[in-house]
Amino acid sequence: MRRAVTALAVAAAAAMAVPAQAIAQPTPPPVPEGIPVEMLASFAPAIIGAAAGTEDIAAGPQDAILDQARNLLESPGIPPELKSTLERVITFLDGSGGGGPEIPKENAPVIAQFLYPTIGKGCIGEGADSVGTALAVPGPAQLPPPGPKAGQAGFVFTALGTSSVAAEQPEPLTVTWINLDNQRRATQNLTNEAKINPDGPATLSAIADTGPGRVLAVVSGGLTTQKEGAAPITCSFLPTVGMFQVA
């Protein structure tokens, strides 16, 4: 039933996702067959803990993230899709994967899609889940508005198949990020200030002063949408993880 609802959400979003502003909308990666999103999201608390902690990042909080990813990787019968995702996390953290996407040499932004889509139960309506996709855009770039500068990153989250963002967000959607190379970290609310997709699907964004370096980010939390003439719908999304390089 979860997979059927997910497929319907993606199909519905395909017809709706016409942004009011010219922002790239990459094709969301599919939910890996046979793998619950809960399993993919299980290592996200380690990243949140590292970003929220007070210890020196240089002393090795990323080691805890590496350990948790490696422990999951050693689980018996791990599906190939999940193994591939975890291997990408490990190579990013230990530096053997090259540190992230290439920095753009032209004006076109580099879009770093988060590692996997997430699920928001009941976000479209009763019994209808939404697939949430998150991406990061290292600056300098024009998107998301007003555009991240050099040393900044923009985050965009879209809840596919949903109505427009409600004026009030009682349970905010947040991005928690940690720069492994310069020790910066923060948790920020994703907001509707950029007015992306004002008629839906619900799209929220934020710009972060990450500074240059390797950045790990986790998007999770609540989202409230409201269709004209209808009651608002509030739902929660499981954490999804992104990793990218900022110049």
Side-chain angles (χ1 to χ4, degrees):
M1 179 63 72
R2 168 69 62 86
R3 294 194 192 108
V5 170
T6 296
L8 286 173
V10 173
M16 296 174 63
V18 179
Q21 302 200 33
I23 183 167
Q25 294 284 346
T27 302
V31 178
E33 183 68 21
I35 303 176
V37 174
E38 289 86 350
M39 188 174 183
L40 282 168
S42 63
F43 63 87
I47 297 175
I48 295 175
T54 57
E55 65 273 23
D56 184 356
I57 296 175
Q62 60 264 43
D63 289 342
I65 307 171
L66 272 166
D67 288 343
Q68 186 160 352
R70 286 170 176 149
N71 287 338
L72 279 172
L73 193 61
E74 294 170 2
S75 301
I78 183 171
E81 296 90 342
L82 179 55
K83 182 177 180 180
S84 176
T85 296
L86 292 173
E87 286 174 342
R88 288 174 61 193
V89 173
I90 291 169
T91 57
F92 181 83
L93 290 173
D94 66 17
S96 62
E102 294 183 2
I103 301 302
K105 296 181 176 60
E106 304 295 338
N107 292 329
V110 165
I111 294 175
Q113 185 80 42
F114 274 44
L115 289 176
Y116 54 88
T118 180
I119 297 291
K121 284 193 170 183
C123 283
I124 298 175
E126 186 174 354
D129 299 347
S130 170
V131 176
T133 65
L135 58 85
V137 182
Q142 295 181 340
L143 304 171
K149 301 174 183 178
Q152 295 183 323
F155 295 96
V156 181
F157 182 90
T158 301
L160 301 176
T162 60
S163 303
S164 56
V165 178
E168 299 293 330
Q169 296 291 314
E171 301 176 20
L173 195 74
T174 64
V175 56
T176 295
W177 56 265
I178 175 172
N179 188 318
L180 299 176
D181 297 319
N182 66 16
Q183 305 186 33
R184 293 186 189 179
R185 68 194 97 183
T187 295
Q188 299 177 222
N189 288 350
L190 294 167
T191 73
N192 190 35
E193 290 181 9
K195 304 297 181 185
I196 304 170
N197 296 334
D199 299 322
T203 302
L204 302 175
S205 65
I207 293 177
D209 291 318
T210 62
R214 292 171 301 154
V215 178
L216 276 167
V218 176
V219 169
S220 63
L223 174 65
T224 301
T225 62
Q226 188 166 20
K227 189 175 182 179
E228 187 175 356
I233 296 176
T234 298
C235 62
S236 296
F237 282 88
L238 290 167
T240 182
V241 178
M243 53 191 191
F244 54 95
Q245 180 86 21
V246 175

